[in-house]
């Protein structure tokens, strides 16, 4: 807040669902060095939203050094190269643009109970990235269009939910895959759809 006031910047605020305004230009976050590159220390919903909105992902050191030198420092040395699972994603997204539709071929359905502060930002990210997202399984049957060419994918957090036989049966009837939650997060980090069948995102039969 102090830096914003000092340098004439506006501090963007999330709404009650954890959603950032679309005009946000920078995500300021903690970073660490990995192979001589700055990477995001922890992936957050702010970080994921920043990626999809084309914001600069930048280290807290940028603010700290700007205050120390009493002038805005050049951004480039402080930009994060991405995160541990999506190196280069944040820079790949520049300049700001809305044409990266990584989920345009997908309908993403969330299984189990997700916190609203996680679910709502992700539903918005999916929409911005050209896809369709459903917070609940029952919404799918109500809104599903048989003519759609989008691939349906069910995502779940194994730490919070056990996939039921009913959910497996419905997935099979829709020719849908059930995949780990990390698939969605890694796809956003990389700004492309990552392969289901890897050690981080096991595919359930």
């Amino acid at each position: 807040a102090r830096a914003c006031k000092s340098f004439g910047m506006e501090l963007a605020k999330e709404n009650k669902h954890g959603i950032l305004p679309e005009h946000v230009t920078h995500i300021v976050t903690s970073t660490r060095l990995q192979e001589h590159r700055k990477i995001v220390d922890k992936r957050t919903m702010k970080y994921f939203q920043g990626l999809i909105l084309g914001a600069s992902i930048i280290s807290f050191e940028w603010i700290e050094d700007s205050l120390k030198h009493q002038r805005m420092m050049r951004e480039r040395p402080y930009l994060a190269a991405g995160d541990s699972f999506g190196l280069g994603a944040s820079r790949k997204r520049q300049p700001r643009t809305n044409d990266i539709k990584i989920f345009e071929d997908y309908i993403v359905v969330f299984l189990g109970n997700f916190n609203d502060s996680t679910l709502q930002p992700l539903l918005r990210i999916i929409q911005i990235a050209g896809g369709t997202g459903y917070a609940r399984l029952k919404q799918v049957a109500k809104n599903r269009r048989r003519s759609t060419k989008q691939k349906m994918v069910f995502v779940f957090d194994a730490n919070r939910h056990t996939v039921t036989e009913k959910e497996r049966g419905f997935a099979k009837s829709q020719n849908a895959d059930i995949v780990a939650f990390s698939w969605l997060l890694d796809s956003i980090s990389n700004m492309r759809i990552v392969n289901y069948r890897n050690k981080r995102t096991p595919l359930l039969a």
Side-chain angles (χ1 to χ4, degrees), residues 89-108:
S90 61
R91 292 187 180 181
K92 192 185 302 179
R93 187 69 172 96
Q94 304 297 327
R96 291 172 66 86
T97 177
N98 292 318
D99 63 355
I100 298 182
K101 303 297 185 182
I102 60 174
F103 293 115
E104 64 181 347
D105 296 324
Y106 289 85
I107 295 172
V108 180

Side-chain angles (χ1 to χ4, degrees), residues 50-83:
L51 285 178
I52 213 71
L53 291 172
S56 296
I57 312 297
I58 198 163
S59 173
F60 277 123
E61 295 171 354
W62 176 58
I63 297 293
E64 294 168 352
D65 288 351
S66 294
L67 288 171
K68 179 180 178 180
H69 295 283
Q70 298 185 340
R71 61 182 176 85
M72 288 302 298
M73 305 298 290
R74 286 194 317 115
E75 292 183 16
R76 188 169 182 80
Y78 301 92
L79 289 174
D83 59 70

Side-chain angles (χ1 to χ4, degrees), residues 20 24 27 45-55 57 93:
L20 290 170
V24 67
I27 300 295
M45 287 302 111
K46 283 185 179 180
Y47 168 66
F48 289 124
Q49 289 180 83
L51 285 178
I52 213 71
L53 291 172
I57 312 297
R93 187 69 172 96

Side-chain angles (χ1 to χ4, degrees), residues 29-45:
T29 186
S30 59
T31 59
R32 58 186 170 85
L33 285 177
Q34 178 174 299
E35 297 178 356
H36 308 294
R37 291 181 290 191
K38 289 183 185 297
I39 66 167
V40 172
D41 202 32
K42 182 180 179 181
R43 301 196 298 185
T44 64
M45 287 302 111

Side-chain angles (χ1 to χ4, degrees), residues 45 48-49 52 103 121-129 188:
M45 287 302 111
F48 289 124
Q49 289 180 83
I52 213 71
F103 293 115
L122 286 175
L123 288 171
R124 179 167 176 260
I125 286 170
I126 292 166
Q127 181 184 34
I128 291 173
I188 299 169

Side-chain angles (χ1 to χ4, degrees), residues 134-160:
Y134 291 113
R136 299 288 181 268
L137 189 62
K138 63 182 180 181
Q139 296 176 323
V140 179
K142 182 178 179 181
N143 297 287
R144 174 73 159 155
R145 295 180 180 179
R146 293 182 180 179
S147 61
T148 183
K149 294 181 179 179
Q150 289 175 303
K151 171 68 175 176
M152 185 176 289
V153 178
F154 293 178
V155 297
F156 75 106
D157 184 346
N159 295 319
R160 301 170 61 92

